[in-house]
Amino acid sequence: MPTKLQWTPKDTPANLRPMLRTLAEAVPLTEGAGRGLPLRFVPAEEAGLCEVTRDKCGAVIRYSSPAQAGRAIGALLAGLPEGPRGSIRESTRFSSLGIMLDCSRNAVMTPEHLRTWFRRLALLGYNKVMLYTEDTYRLPGEPYFGIRRGAYSKAE
């Protein structure tokens, strides 16, 4: 498995580019040619499809949604499919895969730590995250709301 995956904007659908740039903040995924295993993305009509095929030219990712493309990248980073030539294929009947993170108990997760979670979940094919917050945000004119609990600002 190469240490890096690479993609080029001209060969990548526009709706995947923001996700790829965000993932590149934390995983060995580079934008541009010549620095890793080349990725090619092919949208698929089949709902729930995530397929990765490796060949001598790189890896082809067939996907039905951006979440499935993220899952395929996660599979490649995990060393799947094994060997220089091979393929894996998954199909799910779910259109939504999500998690609720508790941001009200004990210490409140920082925005940067939440971004780490979001990137990891994207590599697993998640497309929904909900934050459970009771009183861990600030309200104008209510200085005691969430006192001593940690709180997210409006900007965060």
Side-chain angles (χ1 to χ4, degrees):
M1 175 71 190
T3 57
K4 290 192 180 204
L5 305 176
Q6 71 177 40
W7 64 281
T8 56
K10 71 177 182 78
D11 297 326
T12 303
N15 66 333
L16 297 182
R17 294 176 200 161
M19 175 183 69
L20 296 172
R21 288 181 179 120
T22 300
L23 289 174
E25 296 170 8
V27 301
L29 176 66
T30 60
E31 182 176 345
R35 291 173 261 163
L37 179 73
L39 302 179
R40 294 181 309 263
F41 296 91
V42 179
E45 294 295 321
E46 182 181 334
L49 178 69
C50 170
E51 182 178 68
V52 180
T53 304
R54 289 191 55 181
D55 60 24
K56 64 181 180 177
C57 297
V60 176
I61 294 174
R62 290 186 62 232
Y63 66 97
S64 60
S65 69
Q68 296 300 334
R71 183 165 176 81
I73 292 167
L76 281 166
L77 291 170
L80 299 173
E82 294 180 1
R85 294 177 189 231
S87 66
I88 59 169
R89 178 185 169 95
E90 294 181 337
S91 187
T92 180
R93 295 176 187 246
F94 297 104
S95 60
S96 179
L97 178 61
I99 186 172
M100 181 178 284
L101 299 173
D102 190 343
C103 296
S104 287
R105 303 286 187 270
N106 301 316
V108 173
M109 282 189 256
T110 65
E112 184 52 42
H113 189 70
L114 285 170
R115 283 188 281 277
T116 298
W117 267 92
F118 298 159
R119 287 187 293 261
R120 289 178 182 165
L121 291 168
L123 292 170
L124 292 170
Y126 282 69
N127 60 6
K128 182 181 293 186
V129 176
M130 298 171 281
L131 303 179
Y132 178 73
T133 59
E134 288 178 355
D135 59 353
T136 52
Y137 50 91
R138 296 189 181 108
L139 288 177
E142 298 291 338
Y144 296 106
F145 188 80
I147 192 167
R148 297 185 184 157
R149 302 249 318 190
Y152 295 111
S153 68
K154 185 176 182 178
E156 291 170 332

